[in-house]
Amino acid sequence: MPSGRLTNCLEVMIQGPGTVYTYWELGAAIMNRLEPEDRLFLRLYRVDGASCRLLVEQELPLFTAGWYFHHLSPAAVYYCEIGVKEQGSYLALLRSERVTTPPAPVSYGEWLAELLSGKPVWPVAGAYVGERKFLQNSVRLNTPSWTTAEALGGMYFYAGILAG
C-alpha cells in the first residue's frame, strides 16, 4: 500500500485466478515533471511467450492510488505501466514486475462428474481423497493414478456404496 514517503513504486498483487490489484506511489521526481494538463494512464499487459499485448488502458481519476482488473485469464502473466500521453504519444513512467495468476480451481461438481463417469482424475486441490495413493505414485505426474472405485474408497461418506 502507499507509504506516504513519496517514492516511485508500482506493484501488482494477485487477488485470484481472474483478478489483480495494482497500486502505486509517484515520487517528487515524477510529480515535478508532470504538467497540469497531463493525464495519467494505467496500462495492463499480458505476456504471451516472447510478446506482450496491451489489454487495458485506463485513464486514472485524480487522487487514485490503486486499481482492480477483473475477468483476466487464469495461469497467465501480467504487468502494469503508469504513463502519460503527450501530444498523442504514450510515455511510460513506471513499470511493475510481472506476476502470474494462479490456475482456475476445478469445482467439486465437475470433478465428481468426471470421477463418476469412470475417468481417472486428479484430486481436487486441498482434498484428502486418495492422497496416500496419489503421493505413492507422484513420480508419474502426467498420469492420473487412481480409478473411480479407488477414489470413492478413500472417501468415508461413499464407503457404504462400495461395500453394498
Side-chain angles (χ1 to χ4, degrees), residues 34-123:
L34 297 177
E35 299 295 329
E37 66 273 2
D38 285 341
R39 299 176 318 178
L40 286 175
F41 288 85
L42 178 64
R43 287 182 166 189
L44 176 69
Y45 293 88
R46 179 174 174 172
V47 179
D48 294 313
S51 66
C52 299
R53 182 169 42 111
L54 175 63
L55 292 181
V56 178
E57 180 179 80
Q58 173 65 49
E59 184 172 359
L60 295 173
L62 289 176
F63 310 113
T64 305
W67 202 267
Y68 282 92
F69 292 101
H70 299 286
H71 310 294
L72 303 177
S73 297
V77 179
Y78 298 95
Y79 71 91
C80 286
E81 283 182 350
I82 286 187
V84 294
K85 284 193 177 177
E86 297 175 350
Q87 300 166 354
S89 297
Y90 174 79
L91 172 66
L93 300 173
L94 288 174
R95 179 178 289 168
S96 72
E97 295 290 325
R98 293 176 178 188
V99 296
T100 305
T101 54
V106 175
S107 76
Y108 181 74
E110 292 171 11
W111 177 81
L112 188 58
E114 285 193 15
L115 182 69
L116 294 175
S117 73
K119 297 179 184 174
V121 294
W122 292 102

